[in-house]
Amino acid sequence: EVRLRLTEIDGKAVDTPEKAPSCEAEAGAITSRIEGGVGSYCLSSIRRKENRRSPGPPFITSTLQQAASQSLSFSPSRTMRTAQELYEGVQLGRDGETSGLITYMRTDSVRLSPGSVRSCRDYIAERFGAGSLPPSPRRFRASKAAQDAHEAIRPVDVRMDPESLGKWLTSDQAKLYSLIWRRFIATQMAPALIVSTTVLVSGADGLIFKARGELVAEPGFLAVDPSQITTEKPLPELEKGPVELIEVLPELRTTRPPTRFSEAGLVAEMKNKGIGRPSTYVPIIDKIKQRKYVQLEGGRLIPTELGTTVLRLLVELFPYIFEIGFTSDMEGLLDDIAEGKIAYADALGRLNTPLESSLAQAMANLDRVRERLSEETDERCPVCGAPLKVRWGRFGRFMACSAFPDCRFTRPLDDGEESSRFESRVCPECGGKGMLVRNGRYGRYLACSNASSCRHTEPYPTGASCPEEGCDGELVERKSKRGKLFYSCSNYPSCRFATWNEPVAVVCPRCGYPFLERRKRGGIYCPRCKKKIQLEKSRPGTSADS
């Protein structure tokens, strides 16, 4: 059985979305026509073609971050942190010296030193045979904008293979080192020979179907680094002649907007646009996340309302500086200074003139911008009676008294169900009723609604009970020193229970564990019996059907 795609009707191509049927009625008519041609279909053409595919260049900063994201699910910051450890050195053996394992990891040059290329080719000849080498060393050309101060990212000693180092490296170090080592070895290996087969099935009524498959005839560099090329599934052995129609499968496909950037995808775009350097890709992304301009959801960077507002104002007030080409032009000026093509005073003058003009315009419009960032409301301040306004702060929008600075009353913007959850919660410090959800630099937390006289705050509760025997605490949200969210008992430090996974306030129906966990890769599991639980509509603290 072979699955083929309809590619031609009466001599007209239909193998692209633009040429395919545009509605269900058209597709139904074509389906009926295909089924009506039973008995006339014949495999009329088998074409085989050999292609030699060469390995990609060695890693630079941006391509390493992209490959680690695709192959290892590493974020760019995690990739660079691990690469830094490999570069600074790892202790090999209990009494062994600390040895650096890779070259400098902040580079945009694909250049390889002649000595490293010779060592690599010698190693390949010894381990894989002379037939695995191309006739001459393979060189790679860097882009015009690349700085050649450092060579590409490669192992310091090619003979230190990942298998021999595995016991001395952490899991992340071993995975990343293997990625770098395999890519470097692949650069000096023979190309892979791929045989592609294309078959055509034609019918008497002008319908033509096509299927394509690929077979790796000679692996070449793919024997070391198979991740570089994704080949299509090979076709079975076929012969020309009559074929039988088994089933017609019409598929509905819709056009989709471009996907949101992943962190690695954003690095690639920054590289293409000339924004930043290898040393600044990760800090730039970390900064826009720290400032809540974007948030990471499902591995994608989603702009927040704060980020959208900030961008709109900056582009309006500083149009020249926030053009995409400004950063790359500035980098070009710095390169020209380094090469002696322009005096630094002239370069600074070219940069300073538009900056001064934009700053003067921004200061002149400052009051107007501030007014645009606030919204009038019908509510009155409970302290002085003045109207309340919606304003922007570091952590988003909030309600503030319009009589500021004479009156400093503020409260978080109501968040519907989120706020109503804690209306009946009693403040343990002043006894007042009602706690409000606030956002700070460490995330969500609860604060007393009587903020003018009581400054009590507490971590954001999840509703899940602590599983430790004899403990009556509940699990609350906290952040580690590195800003990573985790969940621990509210009775800390007397109870030190903690978990990285998000608790779900539902009792496990299998073993009675007091809560379930939502795993990052999807699904809800019991921490004790390790079973995946399918939740029905359940109330917190009750059992769920599985």
Side-chain angles (χ1 to χ4, degrees):
E1 295 183 5
V2 177
R3 182 166 176 161
L4 301 98
R5 182 176 297 279
L6 178 65
T7 59
E8 194 174 307
I9 301 177
D10 299 329
K12 296 182 179 180
V14 294
D15 56 348
T16 62
E18 295 78 13
K19 300 173 183 177
S22 59
C23 64
E24 187 176 358
E26 288 183 32
I30 295 174
T31 299
S32 300
R33 182 172 171 179
I34 295 171
E35 292 172 340
V38 171
S40 68
Y41 295 112
C42 174
L43 199 160
S44 57
S45 172
I46 301 177
R47 296 198 304 268
R48 291 185 175 85
K49 184 179 179 181
E50 293 185 352
N51 294 304
R52 290 197 175 272
R53 301 187 188 178
S54 298
F59 285 129
I60 59 176
T61 303
S62 59
T63 55
L64 176 62
Q65 292 172 359
Q66 294 164 56
S69 175
Q70 294 166 2
S71 302
L72 309 176
S73 299
F74 282 12
S75 66
S77 58
R78 182 178 176 186
T79 298
M80 296 309 292
R81 184 169 61 249
T82 307
Q84 182 77 38
E85 296 168 358
L86 294 172
Y87 170 71
E88 291 179 350
V90 176
Q91 186 174 0
L92 305 180
R94 292 183 178 178
D95 302 321
E97 294 184 359
T98 298
S99 176
L101 300 180
I102 63 171
T103 55
Y104 192 58
M105 63 283 163
R106 295 183 179 90
T107 176
D108 54 5
S109 172
V110 292
R111 175 178 59 86
L112 292 171
S113 65
S116 68
V117 173
R118 284 194 301 270
S119 299
C120 184
R121 289 175 63 85
D122 291 343
Y123 178 82
I124 292 171
E126 292 175 15
R127 181 165 176 176
F128 301 100
S132 299
L133 287 169
S136 59
R138 190 177 282 111
R139 308 288 182 185
F140 299 92
R141 181 176 297 178
S143 63
K144 292 182 180 179
Q147 294 180 339
D148 205 33
H150 303 282
E151 61 177 308
I153 304 171
R154 62 167 178 85
V156 171
D157 184 354
V158 71
R159 296 184 181 278
M160 300 174 70
D161 58 67
E163 291 76 18
S164 64
L165 295 176
K167 59 183 177 181
W168 310 118
L169 305 180
T170 65
S171 176
D172 282 5
Q173 290 171 350
K175 291 175 183 177
L176 191 64
Y177 181 76
S178 177
L179 198 67
I180 296 170
W181 185 88
R182 293 180 188 281
R183 173 59 69 93
F184 175 59
I185 293 290
T187 62
Q188 300 304 317
M189 292 190 72
L193 178 62
I194 311 294
V195 178
S196 60
T197 303
T198 303
V199 299
L200 298 180
V201 169
S202 55
D205 54 353
L207 301 175
I208 295 180
F209 301 83
K210 181 189 290 186
R212 187 173 183 272
E214 292 180 329
L215 180 68
V216 179
E218 296 176 10
F221 71 92
L222 292 179
V224 171
D225 192 5
S227 65
Q228 286 199 45
I229 294 179
T230 302
T231 57
E232 297 183 35
K233 185 179 179 180
L235 296 175
E237 287 295 326
L238 300 172
E239 296 180 359
K240 292 183 180 180
V243 296
E244 177 187 351
L245 174 66
I246 298 174
E247 188 179 5
V248 183
L249 301 171
E251 291 182 351
L252 174 64
R253 295 191 176 185
T254 57
T255 57
R256 297 179 179 179
T259 58
R260 298 283 190 182
F261 282 118
S262 64
E263 291 183 81
L266 184 55
V267 168
E269 186 71 7
M270 291 166 65
K271 169 72 175 174
N272 292 337
K273 299 290 187 183
I275 300 172
R277 291 291 190 186
S279 59
T280 61
Y281 295 146
V282 170
I284 288 171
I285 294 176
D286 285 346
K287 184 63 67 177
I288 63 175
K289 289 196 298 183
Q290 290 171 7
R291 292 186 174 176
K292 309 296 184 185
Y293 296 158
V294 297
Q295 57 189 17
L296 200 59
E297 294 180 7
R300 300 287 172 178
L301 294 169
I302 310 297
T304 62
E305 186 180 8
L306 174 62
T308 303
T309 302
V310 168
L311 174 64
R312 175 172 52 81
L313 291 174
L314 289 177
V315 171
E316 179 183 334
L317 295 174
F318 303 94
Y320 175 78
I321 295 174
F322 281 89
E323 289 181 354
I324 289 180
F326 175 80
T327 302
S328 56
D329 292 343
M330 184 180 68
E331 296 280 4
L333 277 176
L334 295 177
D335 291 339
D336 289 343
I337 294 172
E339 295 170 9
K341 296 180 179 179
I342 186 174
Y344 80 89
D346 295 336
L348 287 175
R350 288 171 58 179
L351 294 172
N352 197 47
T353 300
L355 177 60
E356 285 185 340
S357 174
S358 297
L359 280 173
Q361 180 183 353
M363 293 305 295
N365 295 326
L366 191 58
D367 291 338
R368 180 176 60 85
V369 170
R370 281 176 176 165
E371 193 61 32
R372 282 174 54 191
L373 286 176
S374 64
E375 300 175 20
E376 301 286 346
T377 70
D378 297 330
E379 295 187 52
R380 292 281 174 175
C381 175
V383 176
C384 70
L388 292 180
K389 285 188 174 184
V390 178
R391 297 186 182 275
W392 277 96
R394 286 184 63 190
F395 309 110
R397 299 194 300 170
F398 64 97
M399 300 285 280
C401 183
S402 58
F404 177 86
D406 296 329
C407 177
R408 294 180 175 270
F409 173 82
T410 62
R411 69 171 172 80
L413 198 63
D414 286 340
D415 193 16
E417 184 180 346
E418 184 71 8
S419 296
S420 63
R421 282 183 57 194
F422 305 102
E423 287 180 352
S424 59
R425 198 177 183 102
V426 177
C427 174
E429 192 164 313
C430 70
K433 191 174 182 181
M435 301 289 284
L436 298 176
V437 180
R438 292 185 180 271
N439 286 297
R441 61 182 302 184
Y442 299 110
R444 295 183 297 181
Y445 65 96
L446 296 186
C448 181
S449 57
N450 190 19
S452 58
S453 59
C454 178
R455 310 299 294 176
H456 173 75
T457 62
E458 57 187 65
Y460 186 86
T462 65
S465 301
C466 177
E468 293 294 315
E469 187 175 351
C471 180
D472 60 353
E474 66 177 323
L475 300 186
V476 296
E477 289 185 1
R478 300 187 191 273
K479 277 196 175 181
S480 67
K481 292 181 179 179
R482 291 187 173 181
K484 189 175 180 181
L485 187 67
F486 71 100
Y487 305 88
S488 67
C489 182
S490 57
N491 288 335
Y492 177 86
S494 59
C495 177
R496 293 184 172 270
F497 176 85
T499 177
W500 291 110
N501 295 318
E502 179 187 354
V504 178
V506 174
V507 176
C508 176
R510 293 174 178 268
C511 66
Y513 199 72
F515 68 88
L516 305 176
E517 286 184 340
R518 181 175 282 109
R519 301 281 176 85
K520 293 180 180 179
R521 293 185 178 272
I524 294 176
Y525 292 78
C526 174
R528 178 189 288 165
C529 59
K530 310 299 183 185
K531 299 294 184 180
K532 187 173 183 178
I533 306 298
Q534 184 65 42
L535 292 183
E536 300 293 340
K537 292 183 179 179
S538 306
R539 291 174 298 172
T542 64
S543 296
D545 296 331
S546 61

